[in-house]
Amino acid sequence: MNRENSIVRKIIHIDMDAFFASVEERDFPEYRGKPVVVGGDPKSRGVVSTANYEARKYGVHSAMPTSRAYKLCPHAIFVYPRFSAYIEVSNQIKKIFEEYTDKVEPLSLDEAYLDVTENKKNIAYATILAKEIKNQIVKQTKLTASAGVSYNKFLAKIASGLNKPDGLTIVTPETANEFIEKLSIGSFFGIGKVTEQKMKSLGIHAGSDLKKISEAELIKIFGKSGAFYYRMARGQDDRPVENFHVAKSVGAENTFSIDLLNIDTIKDEVQDIANVLVHRLQKSEVKGRTLTLKVKYEDFVTVTRSKTGCSYTDDLQYILKEAMVLLKQTEAGIRKIRLIGLSISNLDCNDRQLCLPMQ
Ligand code: TTP
Ligand code: MG
């Protein structure tokens, strides 16, 4: 790449600190200074949405069963999520971002990329902009955010997570090399738990190790992703910041060759469809809160049944259990069925780049 001819972009990644828990602490001052776990009743089968930093000291973290969180920190305050309050803050911060640039790419309720190469304030320094944005967030929402500033999305996102809470971390083209070499392999964009283990078994523990492997070798081991990892190790990520539309739901469905009446056969089919759905969710790295079951009877009359949970999920056991509950709310086993579908909506994306484009 010829640096002379290419514009070095200015990207900011903003991520609110312990988002749901911070909103709870803000709105209920009596919680402050105490461990707070958002997720629900510790005696239920739910999972933790998030925990404040006080609770994290005890090992509580997102996606952990609330019952486990209770064992780790029984004196924590356990609360149900209040999505309307979080959505309100999410809209507030989005408005703040849009005062600086139209190139805003939200990743979830509390996270977004901003391309401020050109910005509405005509400020040349992204670091100054990031400070201003953080200040505005505190002023308008009484909550803190952490920011990462860099020349691409991958580096900006990692940077924002480094000095939480209330952090501001900058990675310049000059410091990127050293920064990447020291990064643990699990922190690289697109490297999940399974790939992380595979990398480690190959002796790749940090960016410096990754950089030693040739592109051909990486492609041989990891397929198409290998080329991506090769570029990441060199700080190359030209994905644009874009406010594109993403799928509102992920689903799977099956039309049967013969209409089904036997309830056990129907349950088996639901299980197969749930498997496909979970595979799709995990492949796209999205989770969702609302599960919808669609049933089309032999006369083409179609009904849907939905359930919205407290936290985002892609968990097969949970989806299966809820799908069976929804199935009971239909006439399965009484009326012949020609099609069954399952979908998850109210999505939360880890990274919008990995979400499916709107179909
Ligand atoms: P995160 O930004 O991943 O976490 P956080 O803001 O709570 O903490 P941090 O300071 O480390 O950024 O997620 C934002 C919100 O999304 C989080 O507050 C709750 C929700 N969430 C879930 O419901 N389930 C999950 O598994 C995760 C990771 C987040
Ligand atoms: Mg956050």
Side-chain angles (χ1 to χ4, degrees), residues 15-22 38 47-51 53 56 62-64 83 86 108-111 146 164-165 287 289 310-312 348 350:
D15 187 329
M16 302 296 285
D17 301 318
F19 184 44
F20 293 4
S22 303
V38 182
V47 291
V48 173
S49 292
T50 197
Y53 287 82
R56 289 183 200 187
S62 295
M64 162 186 284
F83 280 98
Y86 314 143
S108 65
L109 287 180
D110 83 324
E111 219 186 314
S146 295
K164 272 180 164 286
K287 296 179 182 185
R289 285 203 298 128
C310 282
S311 53
Y312 297 98
D348 184 36
N350 277 337

Side-chain angles (χ1 to χ4, degrees), residues 258-300:
I258 42 166
D259 298 343
L260 302 182
L261 189 61
N262 181 292
I263 191 68
D264 291 329
T265 315
I266 292 169
K267 282 182 182 170
D268 284 348
E269 289 295 342
V270 170
Q271 177 140 14
D272 286 350
I273 296 164
N275 270 313
V276 176
L277 170 64
V278 166
H279 178 74
R280 286 185 184 158
L281 286 167
Q282 291 177 351
K283 211 171 121 200
S284 339
E285 292 195 23
V286 292
K287 296 179 182 185
R289 285 203 298 128
T290 303
L291 177 69
T292 301
L293 171 81
K294 177 167 79 172
V295 170
K296 192 184 274 183
Y297 299 111
E298 61 177 338
D299 55 3
F300 286 81

Side-chain angles (χ1 to χ4, degrees), residues 173-187:
E174 288 72 34
T175 59
N177 210 12
E178 202 189 333
F179 179 83
I180 295 167
E181 288 194 349
K182 284 189 185 148
L183 269 187
S184 67
I185 202 66
S187 320

Side-chain angles (χ1 to χ4, degrees), residues 202-223:
L202 295 165
I204 308 168
H205 297 274
S208 52
D209 303 319
L210 183 61
K211 222 172 152 181
K212 286 184 200 138
I213 322 273
S214 72
E215 186 174 13
E217 187 74 7
L218 284 172
I219 292 174
K220 206 167 102 193
I221 306 168
F222 297 103

